[in-house]
Amino acid sequence: MHKPVITVEISRTAILENLKSMQTLAPNCGIAPVLKSNAYGHGLVLLAELLKDENVPFFCVDSYPEAEQIRRAGIKKAILVMGHTPTETIEKNKLKNISFVIFSIEQLRTLKRGVVHLKFDTGMHRQGILYSDLDKVFPLLKNLKVEGVMSHFAESEKPDSKLTKLQIERWNKIAKRFQSDFPVKYYHCANSGAFGFAGEINANVGRSGIALYGIGTGLQPALQIKSIISEIREIEAGESVGYNGTFVAEKKSRIATVPVGFFEGLNRKLSGKGVFLINGEVAPLTGRVSMNISSCDVTDLEVEVGDVVTVISNKPKDLNSIENIAKICDTSHYEILVNIPPHLRRILISND
């Protein structure tokens, strides 16, 4: 087996501690790990394997193929498919212990069988059965096993959001109506940002995505990416590095080559702005990030070929943390994470 030159390290300790923190924050709710989009770049099957024996009600994925991946790995934990699934796929599903989210009255009218969670639009206006259509739902449920009802917050990270308060009010009315007229097993509305409102929400499950991975929440980031220095060269003052010569050395410089580029998930907007860490020291990126190669300035560092390069750090204050990379690239940490390609080898580590 070949030794990879790029490794995505996932901290087992951080994931389990973050899960425990969410369970402490919402002690009356089960925590459903959100593993969609390759577990936010952390590795779908890797995370499902890690969490399969934890006390969680079900895993949340986006698509039927993601559910199939988990089942092919031999993992039997209950799964909720939260993305749109065609009616035919739901009715012909052969996977055990799997349920599907239904977003519309129209699909409810055509669906003849299936285990489902009903998603209601309480104010985000992205998807879900309209709050005003609540009365129309109940006559359509006789052929289905309704396992849960759910919603989603639009801006739960804002503590004084009027929209969040409205959504909680509407959600609580929906939950109370089902509890009295059509009891189901699971009531879930809170995403990671809404766990601070857990005491106000009538629910017994909360979905944890970004908080599970420790990003932007004050918890411990679980992911870091490492590579190596593959080459070091000296260039003279006035010489350039990379495509179109966007970096020109002001003095005689040592430039290290690292075999990672935008195909490996390193955002091209980091060109000339981002950094790597080598032996704990900052090495600024020089020139443009290429498809599979990046260069960094190691003029003032004591480094050599083969030294480990931290491409993405799991320490929030580091200049190459997920949060700081997102700021440099003027995007969200979600986008940085999910663009880490699935083909990169992911490994669980216990001690950081």
Side-chain angles (χ1 to χ4, degrees), residues 79-80 90 93 97-102 111 113-117 143-148:
I79 298 172
L80 173 63
I90 297 175
N93 166 55
N97 206 13
I98 182 172
S99 52
F100 301 87
V101 174
I102 302 300
L111 192 62
R113 60 180 294 271
V115 182
V116 302
H117 290 221
N143 295 325
L144 305 176
K145 181 180 178 181
V146 183
E147 187 180 65

Side-chain angles (χ1 to χ4, degrees), residues 223-236:
L223 178 147
Q224 61 183 347
I225 298 180
K226 292 182 178 178
S227 187
I228 60 169
I229 295 176
S230 58
E231 296 180 55
I232 297 176
R233 71 194 62 248
E234 290 189 356
I235 64 172
E236 300 296 329

Side-chain angles (χ1 to χ4, degrees), residues 66-221:
E66 289 178 337
E68 289 180 309
Q69 286 185 58
I70 292 174
R71 288 293 181 261
R72 282 196 296 269
I75 299 166
K76 299 179 180 179
K77 176 70 74 175
I79 298 172
L80 173 63
V81 179
M82 298 197 301
H84 172 72
T85 306
T87 299
E88 182 180 10
T89 301
I90 297 175
E91 292 180 341
K92 293 184 176 181
N93 166 55
K94 300 297 183 182
L95 299 179
K96 294 181 179 180
N97 206 13
I98 182 172
S99 52
F100 301 87
V101 174
I102 302 300
F103 308 96
S104 70
I105 292 286
E106 289 74 22
Q107 190 169 28
L108 269 181
R109 288 186 176 128
T110 60
L111 192 62
K112 299 296 189 291
R113 60 180 294 271
V115 182
V116 302
H117 290 221
L118 306 179
K119 186 170 186 178
F120 286 89
D121 178 4
T122 55
M124 189 173 184
H125 300 326
R126 186 181 61 170
Q127 60 178 187
I129 300 166
L130 293 175
Y131 171 73
S132 57
D133 285 341
L134 179 60
D135 289 338
K136 299 177 184 179
V137 168
F138 296 99
L140 303 174
L141 303 181
K142 58 183 179 180
N143 295 325
L144 305 176
K145 181 180 178 181
V146 183
E147 187 180 65
V149 291
M150 63 183 289
S151 189
H152 193 67
F153 288 109
E155 51 181 20
S156 57
E157 72 283 355
K158 297 181 179 180
D160 298 320
S161 168
K162 293 182 179 180
L163 177 56
T164 297
K165 292 178 181 179
L166 174 63
Q167 287 192 263
I168 292 174
E169 179 182 333
R170 288 176 172 175
W171 164 257
N172 285 343
K173 289 179 181 178
I174 292 169
K176 185 176 180 181
R177 176 74 180 277
F178 271 88
Q179 288 163 348
S180 64
D181 294 358
F182 198 96
V184 298
K185 186 176 183 180
Y186 297 122
Y187 299 83
H188 51 112
C189 188
N191 52 340
S192 291
F195 275 81
F197 302 105
E200 303 174 40
I201 300 170
N202 185 353
N204 59 7
V205 171
R207 304 182 303 273
S208 181
I210 202 68
L212 179 66
Y213 309 109
I215 305 297
T217 58
L219 300 177
Q220 175 58 48

Side-chain angles (χ1 to χ4, degrees), residues 6-11 42 220-227 277 309-315 318 320 322 337 340 345-347 349 351-352:
I6 306 167
T7 303
V8 183
E9 296 183 350
I10 309 298
S11 168
H42 291 66
Q220 175 58 48
L223 178 147
Q224 61 183 347
I225 298 180
K226 292 182 178 178
S227 187
L277 293 177
V309 177
T310 301
V311 176
I312 294 180
S313 171
N314 63 357
K315 297 178 175 59
D318 284 346
N320 60 339
I322 290 289
L337 284 169
I340 300 170
R345 183 187 178 197
R346 285 151 171 85
I347 60 171
I349 60 173
N351 298 309
D352 298 332

